[in-house]
Amino acid sequence: MDSTSTYDDSVSAYDDSVHLRDGATRGAGAARALATEAVHAGRDDLARQGLHAPPIDLSTTYPSYDSRAEAARIDAFAADGADPAGPPVYGRLGNPTVARFETALARLEGTESAVAFASGMAALSAVLLARAAAGLRHVVAVRPLYGCSDHLLTAGLLGTEVTWTDPAGITDALRPDTGLVLVESPANPTLAELDLRAVAHACGTVPLLADNTFATPVLQRPAEHGARLVLHSATKYLGGHGDVLAGVVACDEELAGQLRKIRFATGGVLHPLAGYLLLRGLSTLPVRVRAASVTAAELAHRLTGDPRVARVHYPRLGGAMIAFEVYGDPHEAVSRVRLITPAVSLGSVDTLIQHPASISHRVVDEGDRRSAGVSDRLLRLSVGLEDVDDLWADLDWALGDI
């Protein structure tokens, strides 16, 4: 078997010694640990209000008896996209429950701000529209990306133009109208990893957007390596239970203001209930990612030694995602699972398997798909919280004698 990874039986995808550089503190100047921040960020004011669980604010509009002051606040928002001071104005402009999730995610990613959207693709679309509004329609991107992200760029659906390159070619691909460099690491679905610090250096003054959906801030915080924007399909690990659609961009306040204006104009807002579920999901994110990652590392180890498996992709960073290529028919393997769910998406508490060439990356041109390493025999496994031996028994049965 050819393996693209190394394994450590003692692998742990979470290090309690990792601390955030900013945010709330334990005491005078001491940063809180990530696990603590995941539980408390966005909730720091609850005890003072006599609350324990965050409230869900379902209002679409809010009363205001001072229309002159309201007009001034709306003018201020139109100028720079900053969150209006004082009480909420209108649900399309902002929501208190969603704002709690945004605050928490920004703290976990180590950025000034975060802006939430109705889906990961809505979040990416807002970034592209914001850059295009500044006259910067050209995007430099590195494959592989999530299939719909690839399609959005390739098809030019938002009036953007893309140059695809490898990491070494980023600097040469930049143009005066380049508004964004877009990468994923680990990438969907091959789990290819990039040196984000080197990529950010190659970008110069052009903002780097790193899709951190697979790693989550538990495993890496791209902003610490020079990424100016960090994208999540919050549908995945941040929610963690397969019951919420959402996207979010963590970034500096200047870019956040631009994204809020796009969100207000286009209406790609996140529902308050989704914001509540995401905030709840963050509280268990480190525990879930750590547990699933230990199981995934063990499954990757077993798959590497299996004669029915041609190649295993598992990132050195760790994580709960595995990709592997089989010698036999991958469709047959998908059809045979019983415990594992054959479904799109990832990051849930239960384990999911899918065939990227047929589903998540079907919209990518076949030649581009294969050149990016997405072979027709590749399967993608999102490992959940089940017992490792039960999962292996199901995989062993599914692979059969293919």
Side-chain angles (χ1 to χ4, degrees):
M1 273 20 68
D2 174 26
S3 172
T4 60
S5 310
T6 59
Y7 303 96
D8 182 347
D9 290 336
S10 64
V11 66
S12 174
Y14 175 67
D15 182 358
D16 280 321
S17 68
V18 175
H19 293 80
L20 300 183
R21 295 185 299 178
D22 55 7
T25 60
R26 284 196 192 93
R32 300 196 299 204
L34 180 67
T36 303
E37 202 70 277
V39 172
H40 290 278
R43 306 167 180 82
D44 295 17
D45 65 323
L46 293 181
R48 293 191 298 273
Q49 299 184 56
L51 300 172
H52 185 241
I56 306 174
D57 188 332
L58 295 174
S59 296
T60 58
T61 192
Y62 300 85
S64 173
Y65 293 95
D66 189 341
S67 57
R68 293 185 182 88
E70 200 79 333
R73 292 203 299 152
I74 292 174
D75 287 346
F77 174 81
D80 59 15
D83 281 324
V89 178
Y90 182 59
R92 188 154 46 83
L93 195 151
N95 172 272
T97 306
V98 173
R100 289 182 180 276
F101 164 66
E102 293 172 330
T103 296
L105 194 277
R107 294 258 281 272
L108 292 181
E109 284 290 3
T111 60
E112 289 182 319
S113 303
V115 184
F117 295 86
S119 70
M121 290 308 300
L124 176 57
S125 296
V127 174
L128 296 175
L129 288 171
R131 302 309 288 160
L136 302 169
R137 296 181 175 276
H138 180 241
V139 178
V140 173
V142 176
R143 282 188 171 115
L145 297 177
Y146 168 53
C148 288
S149 299
D150 189 309
H151 177 65
L152 181 65
L153 293 174
T154 302
L157 297 176
L158 298 178
T160 55
E161 178 186 350
V162 62
T163 296
W164 296 101
T165 185
D166 58 30
I170 289 175
T171 299
D172 290 340
L174 300 178
R175 305 186 329 204
D177 64 337
T178 303
L180 191 70
V181 175
L182 175 58
V183 302
E184 289 183 13
S185 183
N188 187 354
T190 66
L191 303 175
E193 297 176 275
L194 300 176
D195 182 339
L196 291 178
R197 193 175 299 279
V199 169
H201 179 74
C203 293
T205 60
V206 176
L208 169 64
L209 185 154
D211 188 322
N212 202 33
T213 299
F214 276 22
T216 81
V218 176
L219 299 181
Q220 73 178 5
R221 288 183 288 279
E224 295 180 353
H225 302 288
R228 196 171 168 195
L229 303 109
V230 182
L231 175 70
H232 285 272
S233 172
T235 306
K236 313 308 195 291
Y237 288 104
L238 303 189
H241 294 76
D243 55 8
V244 58
L245 283 172
V248 64
V249 179
C251 57
D252 58 69
E253 178 56 27
E254 179 184 354
L255 286 174
Q258 298 171 21
L259 294 177
R260 292 188 196 103
K261 289 194 286 185
I262 295 293
R263 183 177 64 181
F264 177 73
T266 60
V269 296
L270 183 66
H271 192 275
L273 180 58
Y276 171 85
L277 291 173
L278 289 167
L279 186 63
R280 186 175 69 171
L282 288 185
S283 65
T284 61
L285 178 67
V287 177
R288 288 186 285 105
V289 170
R290 174 175 58 182
S293 297
V294 171
T295 300
E298 174 60 23
L299 291 176
H301 178 72
R302 296 185 190 187
L303 287 166
T304 299
D306 194 298
R308 298 165 294 185
V309 176
R311 193 178 189 188
V312 174
H313 306 261
Y314 185 72
R316 296 179 185 276
L317 186 69
M321 298 298 300
I322 307 170
F324 60 99
E325 299 169 45
V326 296
Y327 285 115
D329 184 353
H331 302 284
E332 183 66 20
V334 170
S335 71
R336 287 169 59 90
V337 293
R338 293 297 178 266
L339 176 64
I340 298 167
T341 301
V344 298
S345 199
L346 56 106
S348 185
V349 291
D350 60 322
T351 300
L352 309 177
I353 193 169
Q354 68 128 323
H355 182 244
S358 295
I359 304 178
S360 64
H361 288 70
R362 191 65 179 177
V363 293
V364 180
D365 175 80
E366 182 178 358
D368 292 334
R369 194 168 65 226
R370 290 181 175 175
S371 66
V374 187
S375 77
D376 290 340
R377 295 191 180 277
L378 184 75
L379 292 170
R380 192 191 73 187
L381 189 71
S382 170
V383 179
L385 301 180
E386 302 94 338
D387 181 84
V388 65
D389 290 326
D390 289 332
L391 290 173
W392 178 250
D394 199 40
L395 280 174
D396 182 49
W397 166 260
L399 290 172
D401 56 0
I402 62 173

